[in-house]
Amino acid sequence: MHTKGQMEMMETVVVLIVFLVLIVIGLIGYGYYMKSSIKQMEENEKVERSLLLMNYILNSAEFQCSRNNVVKVNCIDFGKVKAFEGVGNENYREIFGFSKIGVKKIYPDKEDVVYFYEEGRGENKIVRSVPVLIYDGSYKIGMLVLEIYE
Amino acid sequence: MKKGQTELIGIVIIVVLLIFGALFFMKLPSKVETGEFETVYAGNTLSVILNYVPLYGCRDKNIGDLLRDCKFKCGYLGDACKCPCEFAEAEIRNVLDLLLEEEGSFGDYYFNAVKYGNEFIKIDKNCENNVGIYAPRYFVSGYEFKLKLCK
């Protein structure tokens, strides 16, 4: 036989348990959300880095095509790319970070990608490529390939 | 304080906690908007196509110049200088097919060229009326070129 005091105590305990269960469910849900949100933020950060790198490469004198001081937009000079291969990755690590950057000719003839900066690290990466003009005596259409690592 | 009042305060606290939780969920926007890279990709594709100078084209004219030379269609794919419409159209198709195959996330496309409001070239591969990403508008002296890429 329960007394009134015991009944009230039981009621308080049940309310506390329900409250705790609600908090735990909320925390678990929040944990899952945070996990996917952090992963999404990491992906976004890599996409943002790839956009910055792409912008840098297409607008830097080290790579862009120019004739009589007139710069051609979205164009990479293949001769400059080949020359860059010998410069050494360590000089550009501060700008390019952990990434692999290359160009690939596609039209009129398809060729393999030529990497001119290779500082890949680990497995976690995103690969993005954007169309560019490639000049190597004549104009070709190709891709600027960016592999962004963590 | 009566028991009813205490329980009411408890409910209010729970509701306030839930509201704060919901606000926290909403307060983590992503920095890069979805589709930003795709828009850049489409913009680059259009720019690269229009600035491409075909090796066996018409002198040093790029595709954009050939499209601006496009007055009437010859009806066959002949000399690039005599039939710039057909030549440019064939090149655009070839380039887009290869580029999109290489990239992988887009399959179809819609390209059109308009001069003072009159469309004179239209290349549609199952994309005109479907959902897709538009390249930023490209204007050159009275001409407008549009490119839309579809998944």
Side-chain angles (χ1 to χ4, degrees), chain B residues 60-127:
Chain B
D60 270 349
K61 290 185 176 180
N62 62 30
I63 298 289
D65 295 332
L66 289 170
L67 286 173
R68 284 196 291 276
D69 286 349
C70 183
K71 290 181 182 68
F72 52 86
K73 295 199 173 189
C74 309
Y76 64 95
L77 185 61
D79 180 71
C81 295
K82 288 177 186 161
C83 301
C85 297
E86 283 77 2
F87 186 81
E89 199 173 323
E91 287 288 291
I92 292 168
R93 277 184 199 279
N94 289 339
V95 170
L96 280 172
D97 283 338
L98 278 170
L99 278 179
L100 300 189
E101 184 193 316
E102 189 66 32
E103 202 271 340
S105 55
F106 296 106
D108 299 330
Y109 51 82
Y110 167 70
F111 175 91
N112 87 334
V114 175
K115 184 188 179 186
Y116 301 118
N118 299 315
E119 182 182 73
F120 62 96
I121 290 272
K122 176 177 159 180
I123 304 169
D124 183 26
K125 191 182 171 194
N126 313 315
C127 187

Side-chain angles (χ1 to χ4, degrees), chain A residues 20-70:
Chain A
L20 281 173
V21 166
L22 277 174
I23 286 178
V24 168
I25 289 171
L27 280 174
I28 290 170
Y30 184 66
Y32 274 112
Y33 172 79
M34 280 302 282
K35 203 175 158 188
S36 67
S37 172
I38 286 168
K39 207 174 170 189
Q40 184 63 45
M41 280 164 83
E42 278 175 7
E43 291 289 304
N44 287 349
E45 194 261 332
K46 282 184 208 155
V47 171
E48 201 174 332
R49 256 181 70 202
S50 67
L51 284 169
L52 284 172
L53 279 185
M54 186 195 83
N55 232 3
Y56 177 86
I57 292 163
L58 292 177
N59 291 297
S60 73
E62 287 118 310
F63 303 104
Q64 64 188 182
C65 314
S66 63
R67 194 187 270 185
N68 300 327
N69 283 332
V70 178

Side-chain angles (χ1 to χ4, degrees), chain A residues 11 19 29-30 33-34 37 44 47-48 50-51 54 58 67 72-74 104 106-108 110 128-133 138-143, chain B residues 3 7 14 17 24-26 28 30-32 36-37 40-41 43-45 47-49 51-53 55 60 62 91 94-95 98-99 101-103:
Chain A
E11 197 185 313
F19 189 66
Y30 184 66
Y33 172 79
M34 280 302 282
S37 172
N44 287 349
V47 171
E48 201 174 332
S50 67
L51 284 169
M54 186 195 83
L58 292 177
R67 194 187 270 185
K72 201 166 173 78
V73 289
N74 294 330
K104 183 179 187 180
I106 289 175
Y107 188 79
K110 209 170 181 175
R128 287 284 185 277
S129 51
V130 282
V132 286
L133 282 173
S138 62
Y139 288 101
K140 313 258 164 44
I141 289 182
M143 291 281 207
Chain B
K3 195 187 166 197
E7 283 179 355
I14 289 172
L17 280 173
F24 212 72
F25 268 74
M26 282 186 275
L28 280 166
S30 65
K31 215 173 175 184
V32 175
E36 191 181 347
F37 195 91
V40 171
Y41 182 90
N44 262 42
T45 307
S47 156
V48 160
I49 287 172
N51 285 301
Y52 171 58
V53 182
L55 190 55
D60 270 349
N62 62 30
E91 287 288 291
N94 289 339
V95 170
L98 278 170
L99 278 179
E101 184 193 316
E102 189 66 32
E103 202 271 340

Side-chain angles (χ1 to χ4, degrees), chain A residues 102-119:
Chain A
V103 286
K104 183 179 187 180
K105 292 176 194 165
I106 289 175
Y107 188 79
D109 299 310
K110 209 170 181 175
E111 290 177 21
D112 286 334
V113 58
V114 175
Y115 288 102
F116 56 88
Y117 178 83
E118 289 190 76
E119 284 286 298

